[in-house]
Amino acid sequence: MSSRERAGIVWVLLAAGGFSVMPSMVKITFAHSTFTPMDIAFWRFLLAAPLMWTLVLVSRRSAPRKPTSDAPIRQPLLIGMLLSAAALLAFFGLERLPGSTYIVLFYSYPAMVALLSRLLGEAIGARAWLALGLALIGLALTVPDFQAAGGVGRLGVALALANAAVVAVYYLLSRRALAGVVDISGASAWMMLGTLFVLALLIPLRGLQMPPNALTGLMLLGIATLCTVLPVFGINLAIQRIGAAQASLISTVEPPLSMLVSMFVLGELILALQWVGAALIIGSVVVLQLRPRNRLDISIAYEAG
């Protein structure tokens, strides 16, 4: 294995690790503030957008040649507006579900991508349908007991699955909009601006809270850096070194990492059946990536968090 390949693996593991801590950081923010999901979503992108643009500009200046960005503007901005819905659904879902349960439910989106691709006319083989079946079985094992959880549990599950569906649509749109684009980081930065624009429009309707204490501010900064900017740049750098398919495959370590973080940081109880469900959902992602043709590249969906 070359040093370039080793660096790619390290970057994709850092990206997966960064996103895996977001559910726990969001839970801590909720516990130590009166923040609403919209407050967290807005502060996440308000802090992440300038950091992303700073890294983009620094990377361009440090390049041996001064590259000319080929990133489109209008399409990434529109896709970023769609991304705002995913961000809000994520935080509303985390408000109602354990972080470990939420992240595994969210990771059903690759199976949704397969189904939507088939509806749009793309040929889907037997392995993709097998992946969809594995994901559905995994979901059935992972979701909480509805009789014990009541209406709040059902709503949380619905929000998590809705977030996965939005991300699946976002991925399909992004794959078409960014086909052939070299400056993926620049396009990602424009998407963040689109997301921030929509969230800012909602402030007059809902209001906005300032961070009430240092811990909340620290969590917001962590969500913006570790759970947003790092995953986006990490996965892009990994793709350059080891390719999109391998990077996506390695990134499937994210759900069990998130469950481990929730278990140790928040003290959440992870049942044996939930671990089996998580393994089946991860298996569905692996099966998708092992398709011999027309592999579904899930890496860009990291921006949805």
Side-chain angles (χ1 to χ4, degrees):
M1 180 184 297
S2 67
S3 59
R4 181 180 178 83
E5 291 173 330
R6 284 194 295 269
I9 293 173
V10 170
W11 275 112
V12 74
L13 290 175
L14 286 173
F19 191 73
S20 70
V21 302
M22 189 178 78
S24 295
M25 299 185 81
V26 171
K27 290 288 187 181
I28 293 173
T29 304
F30 281 140
H32 292 86
S33 70
T34 58
F35 267 27
T36 66
M38 198 188 79
D39 292 319
I40 299 179
F42 175 78
W43 282 103
R44 176 192 183 188
F45 286 94
L46 180 65
L47 296 173
L51 288 173
M52 174 66 79
W53 276 107
T54 300
L55 289 176
V56 169
L57 294 175
V58 170
S59 64
R60 288 176 182 175
R61 290 182 179 179
S62 61
R65 299 178 181 178
K66 292 185 178 181
T68 301
S69 175
D70 65 340
I73 296 177
R74 185 174 62 88
Q75 289 179 321
L77 282 174
L78 293 175
I79 294 172
M81 292 179 183
L82 174 65
L83 183 59
S84 65
L88 289 173
L89 286 168
F91 294 128
F92 277 109
L94 285 168
E95 192 180 33
R96 292 165 171 82
L97 280 180
S100 56
T101 302
Y102 170 82
I103 195 67
V104 178
L105 288 171
F106 169 74
Y107 235 77
S108 64
Y109 74 83
M112 296 184 184
V113 170
L115 184 58
L116 288 173
S117 298
R118 182 66 185 90
L119 293 175
L120 292 174
E122 181 179 340
I124 303 296
R127 291 185 180 181
W129 293 117
L130 173 62
L132 182 59
L134 289 174
L136 292 176
I137 296 172
L139 291 177
L141 296 176
T142 302
V143 296
D145 185 349
F146 288 138
Q147 293 181 351
V152 173
R154 286 192 292 269
L155 179 57
V157 171
L159 290 169
L161 293 177
N163 186 22
V166 172
V167 168
V169 174
Y170 158 79
Y171 166 70
L172 292 174
L173 293 175
S174 298
R175 185 175 61 177
R176 294 185 179 185
L178 301 180
V181 175
V182 176
D183 186 13
I184 298 295
S185 296
S188 301
W190 283 111
M191 288 181 185
M192 283 195 180
L193 284 183
T195 304
L196 181 60
F197 175 74
V198 173
L199 295 175
L201 290 179
L202 297 176
I203 292 177
L205 301 176
R206 296 288 303 271
L208 180 69
Q209 297 189 61
M210 298 296 292
N213 50 59
L215 179 59
T216 300
L218 183 62
M219 290 298 103
L220 293 174
L221 184 61
I223 291 170
T225 55
L226 295 177
C227 311
T228 307
V229 175
L230 173 61
V232 172
F233 266 88
I235 204 68
N236 285 338
L237 289 172
I239 289 171
Q240 292 177 358
R241 288 161 173 77
I242 60 176
Q246 187 177 352
S248 300
L249 181 60
I250 297 172
S251 71
T252 57
V253 300
E254 179 192 315
L257 281 177
S258 183
M259 294 172 72
L260 285 172
V261 172
S262 296
M263 183 173 64
F264 287 111
V265 175
L266 302 178
E268 292 183 357
L269 177 64
I270 311 297
L271 302 177
L273 280 178
Q274 288 181 296
W275 285 114
V276 174
L280 289 174
I281 292 177
I282 293 172
S284 73
V285 179
V286 173
V287 170
L288 283 175
Q289 294 302 322
L290 292 178
R291 291 174 61 201
R293 293 180 181 178
N294 298 325
R295 285 178 177 150
L296 295 176
D297 175 12
I298 65 172
S299 59
I300 196 167
Y302 263 86
E303 296 174 51

